[in-house]
Amino acid sequence: MDNFELNYSNFSHAEENYVKTIYHLSEKGEDVSTTAIADELKTKPASVSDMIKKLAQKKVINYVKYKGVNLTEEGEKIALWIVRKHRLWEVFLVEKLKFNWDEVHEVAEQLEHIKSKRMIDQLEEFLGFPKFDPHGDPIPDKEGKIHFIPAKPLSEAPIAKTLKVVSVSDGNPELLRYLDKVGVAIGSQLEIVEKIAFDDSIELIIDDRDTRLVSKIVADNILVVD
Amino acid sequence: MDNFELNYSNFSHAEENYVKTIYHLSEKGEDVSTTAIADELKTKPASVSDMIKKLAQKKVINYVKYKGVNLTEEGEKIALWIVRKHRLWEVFLVEKLKFNWDEVHEVAEQLEHIKSKRMIDQLEEFLGFPKFDPHGDPIPDKEGKIHFIPAKPLSEAPIAKTLKVVSVSDGNPELLRYLDKVGVAIGSQLEIVEKIAFDDSIELIIDDRDTRLVSKIVADNILVVD
DNA sequence: TTATCTATTTTATTAAAACAAAAAAAATCA
DNA sequence: TGATTTTTTTTGTTTTAATAAAATAGATAA
Ligand SMILES: [Mn+2]
Ligand SMILES: [Mn+2]
Ligand SMILES: [Mn+2]
Ligand SMILES: [Mn+2]
């Protein structure tokens, strides 16, 4: 508990990125593979193998050779601390500096490594204790607690029900600009009219106004609740 | 001119710190020595010799072996770009996140390396285009222009004249907390009552209220105009 | 003008983070 | 099961930034 108070200054920029990546890849539950990490960090499996050993020694991940890794409690705390910073900075950029939601992720990737607990807690207060970032992702509180909304991808949602957009993946600016164009935002109401079996594309009504066809890959990246 | 528009992403964290340090050490006019840089960056002369060669190759400094270095035009642009970021972030921390002026420098040392011209220009606007940072230092504008106030150290100021505090050095938090305690701030009125020749300490009146004795080293770090 | 001292540079090592190529283990296929 | 393919790890290099120790240039002092 008190560990989260620290700034974790004994972790390098690179180590933090690995921990954060393992956290995100773990969200599906299973152990994370070397190649998955390499793909995500745009590096090579050989580099990942090296770093994994170091992180295991530092006790932030559990590692069994050839079996993949998962975060220890300590590792998860570090990951949540980085995620908290990332998302609060994204809110700041959108709410205060007039950034569009497709422009914040890259800068937040840098800002998330700035070490100052004090600054982040003050920033959170300054922003009015936001619960979600501009892409609908929940912001861990100062104790590292995070509250997930049970949502599913639009691609797996039922037909002919009123759905609400909870979050969208923030990594790809092109997707976000596309959503701007078609008028999908956090909180938008969607209703699936038809699922085209041939290519899994989806025809839907947006906010009771426009009818649109979106591809499977777009639908995979929009999380909704009904 | 257009170079300042760039984010200079081809410079590492370490290189940026060297360029900024050389900029600050150059303010006295002369070439900067290897040891001076090493002292400032808390590293060793051997490391500085290495880095100096690299920076000379990158054409951001002029370097003659055994003679010291100075910034090229390009180097000065980079330095001013970093200084601009540092000082705007310091204003943000004090004005928006309720930091005291002794708490901002360390965090700004990290924030100054974040690469996003867009963010800094927006931040400047958000802060209302401040001209000075919390320690009274001028903030370079988006073209990299900086306006110096011709001030001198309190230790070299004349006796029995009304002086105004223009800036104080921001590197040492202890000094800043001491100034808080004795009631010296940017804009304070000072009047030197007596200079004690024995140890160069100075007796002064602060804002027409308190009489105080401050040491030479404190007086060296307060810049005033009359 | 030497001799001595100090500042600077060079050389050789180290640590972090990455990569390619080779080796080994695990998974898949026949 | 045995052969083949894929994934992961190991080994050997590279680059960046730092250090200590040795060599050298410059400054100072006798
Ligand atoms: Mn993001
Ligand atoms: Mn986000
Ligand atoms: Mn500062
Ligand atoms: Mn300052």
Side-chain angles (χ1 to χ4, degrees):
Chain A
M1 45 159 72
D2 203 59
N3 275 328
F4 195 71
E5 306 293 317
L6 301 171
N7 283 320
Y8 291 111
S9 50
N10 42 330
F11 289 90
S12 72
H13 204 285
E15 288 170 333
E16 288 189 352
N17 281 333
Y18 273 86
V19 170
K20 187 189 58 162
T21 296
I22 293 166
Y23 172 81
H24 286 310
L25 293 172
S26 297
E27 282 177 318
K28 289 144 201 161
E30 307 117 36
D31 280 1
V32 179
S33 75
T34 303
T35 32
I37 299 170
D39 284 353
E40 190 70 20
L41 287 174
K42 289 172 176 61
T43 180
K44 296 291 174 305
S47 314
V48 175
S49 265
D50 269 352
M51 182 60 99
I52 268 175
K53 266 186 261 170
K54 204 180 4 157
L55 293 176
Q57 256 176 352
K58 287 196 170 190
K59 311 240 195 238
V60 296
I61 61 174
N62 302 117
Y63 170 45
V64 181
K65 267 191 202 172
Y66 294 102
K67 293 264 168 177
V69 300
N70 57 62
L71 293 176
T72 62
E73 249 185 69
E74 179 76 359
E76 191 168 304
K77 274 183 200 159
I78 296 171
L80 285 164
W81 166 228
I82 300 166
V83 167
R84 171 169 161 82
K85 289 189 282 184
H86 184 105
R87 293 181 181 167
L88 282 170
W89 279 119
E90 286 191 345
V91 174
F92 171 73
L93 292 171
V94 166
E95 298 291 316
K96 305 294 182 182
L97 299 195
K98 306 185 207 161
F99 274 57
N100 197 29
W101 69 344
D102 65 306
E103 302 170 304
V104 299
H105 183 75
E106 194 196 323
V107 185
E109 287 289 304
Q110 299 176 63
L111 286 163
E112 72 190 4
H113 298 288
I114 304 290
K115 288 164 169 55
S116 169
K117 173 111 169 55
R118 171 89 194 289
M119 174 174 62
I120 294 303
D121 291 348
Q122 291 296 120
L123 179 64
E124 181 183 37
E125 184 187 322
F126 178 65
L127 297 172
F129 296 96
K131 294 284 162 281
F132 301 95
D133 85 356
H135 315 97
D137 291 310
I139 298 173
D141 69 17
K142 66 196 309 184
E143 271 82 40
K145 287 196 192 67
I146 186 167
H147 178 67
F148 294 102
I149 304 289
K152 62 178 79 152
L154 177 61
S155 49
E156 295 166 20
I159 287 189
K161 289 193 93 180
T162 299
L163 308 167
K164 202 175 78 170
V165 175
V166 163
S167 68
V168 300
S169 65
D170 74 341
N172 191 330
E174 304 240 2
L175 170 71
L176 297 171
R177 284 194 291 271
Y178 172 74
L179 294 178
D180 278 342
K181 204 176 70 181
V182 303
V184 170
I186 303 302
S188 291
Q189 291 222 338
L190 304 182
E191 192 191 316
I192 298 180
V193 178
E194 192 187 351
K195 292 185 177 188
I196 288 85
F198 171 61
D199 61 356
D200 291 317
S201 60
I202 288 176
E203 190 169 305
L204 45 81
I205 303 172
I206 301 167
D207 285 327
D208 297 320
R209 283 183 286 98
D210 311 317
T211 302
R212 271 278 173 184
L213 184 77
V214 299
S215 69
K216 157 98 164 112
I217 188 152
V218 166
D220 280 340
N221 285 291
I222 300 174
L223 297 194
V224 297
V225 288
D226 58 317
Chain B
M1 43 159 74
D2 202 58
N3 276 325
F4 196 70
E5 307 293 317
L6 300 172
N7 284 321
Y8 291 112
S9 51
N10 42 330
F11 289 91
S12 72
H13 204 284
E15 289 169 333
E16 287 189 352
N17 280 333
Y18 272 86
V19 170
K20 186 188 60 162
T21 296
I22 293 166
Y23 172 80
H24 286 309
L25 292 173
S26 297
E27 283 176 318
K28 290 142 199 161
E30 307 118 37
D31 279 2
V32 178
S33 76
T34 303
T35 32
I37 298 170
D39 284 353
E40 191 69 20
L41 288 174
K42 289 170 176 59
T43 181
K44 296 291 175 304
S47 314
V48 176
S49 265
D50 267 355
M51 182 59 98
I52 267 174
K53 265 185 261 170
K54 206 183 359 160
L55 293 176
Q57 255 174 354
K58 287 194 168 190
K59 311 242 197 236
V60 295
I61 61 174
N62 302 116
Y63 171 45
V64 181
K65 267 192 200 171
Y66 294 101
K67 295 262 168 181
V69 301
N70 56 63
L71 293 176
T72 61
E73 249 184 70
E74 179 76 357
E76 191 168 303
K77 273 184 202 159
I78 295 170
L80 285 165
W81 167 228
I82 300 166
V83 166
R84 170 169 161 83
K85 288 189 280 184
H86 183 105
R87 294 180 179 167
L88 282 170
W89 280 119
E90 285 191 343
V91 174
F92 172 73
L93 292 171
V94 166
E95 298 290 316
K96 305 295 182 182
L97 300 195
K98 305 185 209 160
F99 273 57
N100 196 30
W101 70 345
D102 66 306
E103 303 170 303
V104 298
H105 182 73
E106 193 196 323
V107 186
E109 287 290 305
Q110 299 176 63
L111 286 163
E112 72 190 5
H113 299 288
I114 304 290
K115 289 165 169 54
S116 169
K117 173 113 171 50
R118 172 90 195 287
M119 174 174 63
I120 293 303
D121 291 347
Q122 290 297 119
L123 179 64
E124 182 182 38
E125 183 185 323
F126 178 65
L127 296 172
F129 296 96
K131 294 283 162 285
F132 301 96
D133 85 358
H135 314 98
D137 290 310
I139 298 172
D141 69 17
K142 68 196 308 183
E143 270 82 40
K145 287 195 191 68
I146 187 168
H147 178 66
F148 294 102
I149 305 289
K152 62 178 78 152
L154 177 60
S155 50
E156 295 167 18
I159 288 187
K161 288 194 93 179
T162 299
L163 308 167
K164 201 175 79 170
V165 176
V166 164
S167 70
V168 300
S169 64
D170 74 342
N172 191 329
E174 305 240 0
L175 170 70
L176 298 171
R177 284 194 291 271
Y178 172 75
L179 294 178
D180 278 342
K181 203 176 71 181
V182 305
V184 170
I186 304 302
S188 291
Q189 290 222 337
L190 304 181
E191 191 192 316
I192 298 179
V193 179
E194 193 188 350
K195 292 185 179 189
I196 289 88
F198 171 62
D199 62 356
D200 291 318
S201 60
I202 288 176
E203 191 170 303
L204 47 80
I205 303 173
I206 302 167
D207 283 328
D208 296 321
R209 284 183 285 98
D210 311 317
T211 303
R212 271 279 173 182
L213 184 76
V214 299
S215 69
K216 158 98 163 108
I217 188 152
V218 167
D220 280 340
N221 285 291
I222 300 173
L223 297 194
V224 297
V225 288
D226 58 317

